[in-house]
Amino acid sequence: MKAVVDPDVCIACGACIGTCPDVFSMSDEGHSQAIEGEIPAEFEECAKDAEEGCPVSAITVD
């Protein structure tokens, strides 16, 4: 499972970081970014919660 944040849609509200800080962080450009590669199994549920909680649907977790 991987997470991707669309920087063109992200409004940098930080909701995903608050929900799942082990997967999401703020980039130098001021938008959210996901860890590279596979999400560790113990963080998959919070990553999906962050995807569902994104107010602008900028996150995809597959």
Side-chain angles (χ1 to χ4, degrees), residues 40-54:
E42 63 266 28
F43 303 128
E44 289 179 355
E45 186 174 336
C46 75
K48 292 295 280 181
D49 289 345
E51 176 186 34
E52 293 172 10
C54 179

Side-chain angles (χ1 to χ4, degrees), residues 1-60:
M1 184 174 283
K2 293 184 180 185
V4 177
V5 179
D6 184 339
D8 294 328
V9 177
C10 178
I11 59 171
C13 70
C16 57
I17 298 166
T19 302
C20 196
D22 292 300
V23 174
F24 299 96
S25 62
M26 204 57 79
S27 72
D28 291 337
E29 291 79 32
H31 293 99
S32 178
Q33 64 185 9
I35 59 171
E36 292 186 24
E38 294 290 318
I39 299 169
E42 63 266 28
F43 303 128
E44 289 179 355
E45 186 174 336
C46 75
K48 292 295 280 181
D49 289 345
E51 176 186 34
E52 293 172 10
C54 179
V56 293
S57 301
I59 300 171
T60 303

